[in-house]
Amino acid sequence: MKRGPGYREFVTLMAVMISITALSIDMMLPALPEIGRDLRVGHANDVQLVVTVLLFGMGIGQLVFGPLADSFGRKPVILTGFVIFIMGCWLSVFSSRFEVMVIGRMIQGIGTGGPRTAILALVRDQYGGRAMARIMSVVMAIFIVVPAIAPAVGQAVLLTMGWRAIFGVLMIQGFVALTWFAVRQPETLSRDDRIPFSGSRILDAVLGVCKNRRSMGYTLASGFIAGALMSYLSSAQQLFQEVYGLGREFPIYMAVLALFVGGASFVNSRIVMRFGMRALSHRAVLLFIVLTTMFLAATCQMGGRPPLWLMMAFFAPSFFCMGILFGNLSAIAMDPLKHMAGIGAAIVGSLSNFISSSSGALVGRCYDGSALPLACGLVILGILTAIAMRWSEKPPVVKR
């Protein structure tokens, strides 16, 4: 059997692969006005599709690639995903119409669904227990840093080479990851452990998630709270640059908020064994609703344009609550699905992506030159998250 990379190389490779998703979203934000002008977008809010459609495509990719990874192996699925991602980047680089750009972003999202779904399975195949936890902690640490620096990287590329070069950078990273992975990483799923691909199996898994109250409720909750983050990402460029006039400085403010999300993930890993996932999640969502409701009240009182310092003062702890919720809600949703972990993860991930991308796009479309639509969206999505959590833990009615 071909020898794989050592521990350090393996962790670095996984980090490079998983960071492509975050870069694909956050590097675009500084370039949205330029893309809108060059491609003659009719409505300013339409350019937000460059962000949200990628997440929607990722949901499709996860749903397709999850079962394929169990049937044909991890390596073919990951390589195929990268090829599709590179094709989508190429289409975006040379797009002359906004519709073509959106299609390219959709293809990129579908492509990222392959690595995103198969990486966790790949790690599970080779490591277990504390070793696996150690690897995933390092990989997630990269995921913390990338959203913080990606807008600044995108801004630098935009100023020096133009917005099309951002897709070129993503295409190069995808090619490097594809080549590195193809050469150094052997297949980790033996032929004896592969499960035949069938539509009935996928349907059974979907029904299994839908019928399980806890899995379904926490999947919905995960989608709603991720939708709150996507609402912010959809509106962030317009909000920071148009309402607050930050210009090229807005990546700094985005980096600060991204670090609060990432810092919460680190804190959660330290305290979750002591307090438990559910207790932390309930407290975090309650605090999120309180904070965002207070921000909504302040925004209404100030004509939709609260001072920047006030918005950051509310957003920082709110985003910290989001970071606590992200990992916990997904873990609780997956807990009853141990018998179908691979395809279950794909279904949970894709459904939450569909919810977050559609809700984020809806809130973003409501942007009216003020912070009010975003403030309303955060409150509503926080409440929906709490309702879904509450419903999932309510005992089902037994018919007599």
Side-chain angles (χ1 to χ4, degrees), residues 51-65:
V51 175
T52 54
V53 77
L54 181 123
L55 201 63
F56 189 83
M58 191 192 304
I60 297 174
Q62 286 178 301
L63 196 58
V64 172
F65 286 121

Side-chain angles (χ1 to χ4, degrees), residues 152-362:
V153 174
Q155 183 89 290
V157 175
L158 176 67
L159 293 175
T160 55
M161 294 179 284
W163 64 264
R164 294 181 188 273
I166 296 177
F167 293 105
V169 170
L170 291 173
M171 188 160 52
I172 292 171
Q173 185 184 1
F175 182 78
V176 169
L178 183 152
T179 305
W180 187 359
F181 180 80
V183 172
R184 296 290 296 151
Q185 179 62 49
E187 177 58 61
T188 60
L189 183 67
S190 66
R191 293 190 177 276
D192 294 337
D193 293 330
R194 298 181 186 184
I195 303 171
F197 183 85
S198 69
S200 61
R201 177 172 169 260
I202 298 174
L203 180 60
D204 289 342
V206 172
L207 294 176
V209 173
C210 293
K211 290 178 180 178
N212 189 294
R213 195 184 190 100
R214 185 188 302 173
S215 289
M216 190 62 186
Y218 275 93
T219 297
L220 294 173
S222 179
F224 289 135
I225 199 62
L229 180 61
M230 284 305 300
S231 299
Y232 158 75
L233 291 175
S234 298
S235 309
Q237 177 270 320
Q238 291 168 294
L239 191 62
F240 281 125
Q241 292 190 323
E242 295 177 11
V243 176
Y244 295 107
L246 293 180
R248 297 174 182 175
E249 297 177 6
F250 99 93
I252 299 174
Y253 291 83
M254 290 201 66
V256 171
L257 294 177
L259 289 175
F260 272 91
V261 178
S265 299
F266 176 77
V267 171
N268 185 71
S269 68
R270 296 293 181 122
I271 64 176
V272 69
M273 295 300 292
R274 179 180 177 185
F275 296 102
M277 292 184 292
R278 285 186 182 81
L280 286 173
S281 297
H282 282 286
R283 292 171 187 173
V285 75
L286 177 60
L287 181 57
F288 179 83
I289 293 171
V290 171
L291 288 168
T292 53
T293 301
M294 291 172 63
F295 176 67
L296 174 59
T299 302
C300 291
Q301 191 174 14
M302 298 176 182
R305 297 193 174 205
L308 179 61
W309 68 265
L310 183 63
M311 186 180 77
M312 293 295 290
F314 276 112
F315 275 15
S318 299
F319 279 42
F320 188 89
C321 293
M322 277 195 226
I324 294 290
L325 288 165
F326 285 148
N328 288 335
L329 296 183
S330 298
I332 298 172
M334 283 298 301
D335 190 50
L337 306 178
K338 293 178 181 178
H339 60 291
M340 52 174 183
I343 192 170
I347 293 168
V348 169
S350 61
L351 181 55
S352 63
N353 272 339
F354 289 143
I355 294 171
S356 62
S357 59
S358 56
S359 56
L362 179 61

Side-chain angles (χ1 to χ4, degrees), residues 14-47:
M14 295 301 104
V16 169
M17 290 165 59
I18 203 169
S19 67
I20 288 179
T21 301
L23 283 172
S24 298
I25 295 173
D26 294 307
M27 278 184 69
M28 292 296 111
L29 300 178
L32 294 182
E34 295 285 341
I35 293 173
R37 284 193 292 269
D38 286 358
L39 300 183
R40 298 177 294 280
V41 175
H43 193 285
N45 290 353
D46 288 346
V47 77

Side-chain angles (χ1 to χ4, degrees), residues 369-386:
S370 75
L372 193 57
L374 177 59
C376 290
L378 293 178
V379 173
I380 292 170
L381 289 165
I383 293 172
L384 289 174
T385 302

Side-chain angles (χ1 to χ4, degrees), residues 112-125:
T112 60
R116 185 71 180 269
T117 302
I119 283 174
L120 182 57
L122 193 97
V123 175
R124 279 177 179 165
D125 291 341

